[in-house]
Each structure stands twice: as C-alpha cells, then as structure tokens.
Amino acid sequence: MARNALGKGLGALLGENLAASQGTDVSNGNSLSEKVRNSSIPPEITVKEDGSMWIDPSLLKPNPKQPRVEFNQKKLDELSESIKEHGIIEPIVIEAAENGEFIIIAGERRSRASKMAGLTSVPVLLRKFDEQQKLEIALIENIQRADLNPIEEAMAYYNLIQLSDLSQDEVAKRVGKARATVANAIRLLKLPEDIQKSLVNGQITSGHARALLMVKNDADMRVMFGKIIGSDLSVREAEALADQYNNGSRAAAKKEEKKPVKKDADVLSFEQELRNIFGTRDVSLKGDINKGSIVIGYSNKKDFDRIYEVLLSKK
C-alpha cells in the first residue's frame, strides 16, 4: 500500500478503478463475472452476470475500527430516502470474517440506511485488509464523506498513531490533512471529559476548545469554560480571556484572607465585663476605647427582655 494512499482518496487505498465497477478486468480484458466465478466466494454473496456482488445487509457487522461513534439520525433518514429513490450507487466494502460474518470496512452509513429503506440486498466489494488498513479506510471515508465530530476525529488520529507507530506528520500525509490540523485535533483529547462532551454536543466549538487549552491553570480553565457557556463568548473573546488569565488576571486565584486585628487588652477586658453584666457571650466592641460601637447579640425574646431590663436598671 502506498504511503500516501489515503491522501489521494479511498480509490487509491482500495485499489479500485472505473473498469472494476463496470465489470471488466483491465489487466487482461476478461469479463469480471468469469473471474469471480473462478474464485472462492462465500455462499451468502450473490454474484450477478456483470460480476457485481450482492448480500443481505442484515449479515453485515460494523467495522470494529470504525472511528465514528454517533450517527446523525436526520442525515441517515435523508440517505435512506435517497436509497429508496435511487438505490445504492457505490458498493459497500466488506471483509469476510472467520465466524461467517461480514465486516463493513467502508460504507456503514449506507448499510444502516439500506436497512432503514427495507433493502434485502446491497452491492458489495469483497476485500481483505490488515488491522491498520481497516482503521485507515474507516477514518478517511468519514473525513471525506461525512464529518466526524471533533473528538471522534481526534481519537481516530490517535489510534492510527498508536496502531501504526506513525508520526503526526506521517498521519497527516496519509489522510491528506495539514500536520497542524492533526496536531490540533489530538490536543483536544487533553480536555476534561465533560468539556469533551460539550464539544461533541455542540455547546462549544473546536475554536473554543483550543482557547481553553491555552489556559495554563486548570482552575482558570474551569471558570473560563463556565463563562463560554453562560455568556456565549465568541472564539475571539475566549482567546482574549485565556490570554488575560495567563498574564496575571487570575480567574480562580484564592482571595487573600484578612488577618484578624489583634484587640487591645483593655478592649478584651471591657468586652468580658459587658458579657458578665448582660449574661451573654455575644458581646463585642467594634473599634477601640476612643471610638467604635458596642454590639450585643440575642437569640430570643427572653434574652432581649433580660438585656433590656439591665439597660434600664443602669440608667
């Protein structure tokens, strides 16, 4: 497989050509149907005279390397209606598994939509792939034909790097993207899980997410996330706020605790004398001997009446 096959599209990776879809083997000019009949085809697959292969979509299983986790129901409904009207234009690429099942390598949306449309037979291309190819094909199909959400795309790039021991630059070339695009996508996986979910749900955009990643302090990131959601900040406003936090305007800095003022011994003595007179512990002098106020607290009417009687008796 060519190193940059993905960057050239699915056709390059799958090794397809126009003649194949028309039922002709360009290598020797033979009818593809004759070539197929001489090969070992699972009995579940029907081969038509033109060499095309067809199978019941209920026998197809999702690609375990499929990066897409969520499928937009509205778009599936639209695709299903299109399939009812025009059929499936492009075959679903499958691989035969050892347990008699068939794994969808490319075309899971078409497979799902065909079941919704009530089809009992769909066109397929039978291929054999290694684990890396399964992931690469599923990734490029979703990127080129139906956008993954940002976290699904990031996980796909990350898994491709881990599985194939590729650099970000090599992955970028394979999928036909700029290296910065791949790098920025993978960075999103550093976000806390709840922020990732907000990105998937569309509460914030990838631009907001990248602005959050700019913030050096985790607590500041939390505060900024709340402001993005609560105040509907634009990406530019979020970036400006991140810059402020990183340059001293701390969002989550602890307020400096005020140290209690040490009272003069005479004040403390006076407070204690008042407590004895009024029979309550809730007596305090705000200020000093020269200027201030005396606060006498009470918790019920009985306390109030007692304090009142003491004040009257001192007149």
Side-chain angles (χ1 to χ4, degrees), residues 12-183:
L13 183 61
L14 296 173
E16 300 172 34
N17 53 59
L18 291 176
S21 64
Q22 296 169 352
T24 304
D25 180 4
V26 295
S27 62
N28 53 27
N30 293 332
S31 167
L32 184 58
S33 60
E34 295 177 7
K35 185 176 181 181
V36 167
R37 279 192 286 270
N38 293 328
S39 62
S40 177
I41 301 297
E44 294 85 357
I45 295 179
T46 299
V47 182
K48 295 189 176 182
E49 284 300 317
D50 62 359
S52 61
M53 301 181 189
W54 296 73
I55 194 172
D56 186 338
S58 66
L59 300 176
L60 304 180
K61 305 298 180 184
N63 180 357
K65 300 298 181 182
Q66 165 68 269
R68 179 177 291 278
V69 177
E70 299 180 1
F71 289 81
N72 185 294
Q73 189 59 48
K74 182 179 179 180
K75 290 184 178 180
L76 279 177
D77 291 338
E78 292 173 351
L79 181 56
S80 176
E81 290 301 316
S82 175
I83 288 174
K84 287 179 183 179
E85 183 75 19
H86 306 289
I88 295 182
I89 306 300
E90 187 173 358
I92 299 168
V93 182
I94 64 172
E95 178 183 57
E98 294 181 359
N99 59 3
E101 294 181 339
F102 297 87
I103 307 300
I104 302 169
I105 305 302
E108 185 171 347
R109 290 178 69 252
R110 277 167 281 156
S111 175
R112 287 174 178 246
S114 68
K115 293 177 185 178
M116 293 168 56
L119 271 60
T120 58
S121 184
V122 295
V124 293
L125 290 174
L126 185 63
R127 297 284 192 271
K128 182 67 178 177
F129 302 97
D130 59 32
E131 293 302 303
Q132 177 180 333
Q133 289 173 317
K134 290 177 185 178
L135 175 59
E136 290 181 349
I137 293 169
L139 171 60
I140 193 61
E141 181 189 40
N142 280 295
I143 289 176
Q144 290 185 344
R145 297 176 182 170
D147 291 341
L148 298 169
N149 71 54
I151 298 301
E152 287 174 337
E153 184 174 350
M155 282 301 303
Y157 292 144
Y158 177 80
N159 289 335
L160 189 56
I161 289 172
Q162 296 299 309
L163 177 67
S164 309
D165 195 26
L166 300 174
S167 66
Q168 290 185 3
D169 188 55
E170 289 172 321
V171 168
K173 289 178 180 177
R174 282 178 178 258
V175 300
K177 298 280 186 177
R179 182 189 178 283
T181 300
V182 174

